[in-house]
Amino acid sequence: MRKFVMTALNTLGLVALASVAFAADGASGVSVNAAWATAIGMAVAAAGCGIAQGMGLKAACEGTARNPEAGGKLTVTLILGLAFIESLAIYALVVNLILLFVKPLGA
């Protein structure tokens, strides 16, 4: 039940932020609403990736503490996982920059 509530709240938040980002007026430059929406979107993405990286590092440290012989395999897996998580932050940055500078609805 908790997972469903969190998913529903996240979806509602993303829909609310997307509508603000797409509501850019036709004036030249970047609207203030779009700038705020992309800033909040990037903050949420960075926070999520930071939490995920912390959880991954915590699990790798606990695994190495319980089984020191598996430290090499855990380190390789950890570095690969951290790279994947960081790529999600980069994808979020690209999407936010597209929302900020491209007029998606062809105003």
Side-chain angles (χ1 to χ4, degrees):
M1 181 67 182
R2 183 176 180 212
K3 187 181 274 190
F4 175 74
V5 171
M6 290 302 294
T7 303
L9 288 175
N10 285 333
T11 304
L12 182 64
L14 290 174
V15 168
L17 290 176
S19 64
V20 172
F22 284 120
D25 52 348
S28 63
V30 176
S31 80
V32 176
N33 290 339
W36 274 103
T38 55
I40 292 170
M42 193 60 218
V44 169
C49 289
I51 290 170
Q53 286 180 344
M55 290 173 60
L57 183 60
K58 175 187 161 216
C61 288
E62 288 176 355
T64 303
R66 288 184 182 148
N67 189 3
E69 292 85 23
K73 289 182 180 181
L74 286 174
T75 302
V76 171
T77 306
L78 172 70
I79 291 173
L80 186 61
L82 291 178
F84 287 147
I85 293 169
E86 192 64 32
S87 70
L88 291 175
I90 294 170
Y91 290 146
L93 175 66
V94 169
V95 168
N96 284 320
L97 289 175
I98 288 171
L99 285 174
L100 187 62
F101 292 115
V102 175
K103 296 184 190 299
L105 300 176

